[in-house]
Amino acid sequence: MTIKKEITGDKLTLTMEGRLDTATALQLEGDLLPALGKYQIVEMDFAEVSYVSSAGLRVLLMGEKAAIANNTRQTLRNVSPQIMDVFEITGFSATLNIE
């Protein structure tokens, strides 16, 4: 997985490409969790994410909890129908801020 970072004022955008799985979840965790205490908004662009495993879901849930604790906002954008199915089946679509 590749993750590109773009900072605009108090917003960080993480544009991801590839699979969010056991092998790459720690990479996202390392970029996401510290950012949720530093920026008001952290957006993740999922347009090029092809797969999300339970390890990826774990990181997204940790991010949502960190966002709430730090009074920041974690947002997922451009989620494909296939990935949205995963979020809906697992109940994450009700927990995560998906636009």
Side-chain angles (χ1 to χ4, degrees):
M1 168 177 274
T2 59
I3 301 175
K4 296 178 186 172
K5 300 175 191 176
E6 181 181 334
I7 300 167
T8 308
D10 63 352
K11 178 176 86 172
L12 172 66
T13 301
L14 300 174
T15 302
M16 301 177 295
E17 183 178 341
R19 297 170 54 94
L20 179 52
D21 57 19
T22 304
T24 61
L26 286 177
Q27 177 186 0
L28 177 60
E29 183 178 337
D31 288 335
L32 178 62
L33 296 183
L36 289 164
K38 186 175 181 180
Y39 300 97
Q40 282 297 116
I41 301 167
V42 176
E43 290 183 350
M44 288 176 276
D45 187 336
F46 266 68
E48 298 299 323
V49 175
S50 59
Y51 174 81
V52 177
S53 74
S54 60
L57 292 173
R58 179 185 151 275
V59 172
L60 295 173
L61 183 59
M62 290 172 52
E64 188 61 26
K65 289 180 178 181
I68 292 168
N70 289 298
N71 197 31
T72 61
R73 183 176 175 105
Q74 170 181 275
T75 303
L76 283 65
R77 294 188 181 264
N78 302 317
V79 177
S80 71
Q82 295 84 3
I83 302 297
M84 185 58 87
D85 284 346
V86 172
F87 292 152
E88 288 174 354
I89 290 168
T90 58
F92 276 62
S93 60
T95 304
L96 299 174
N97 182 28
I98 303 171
E99 297 180 355

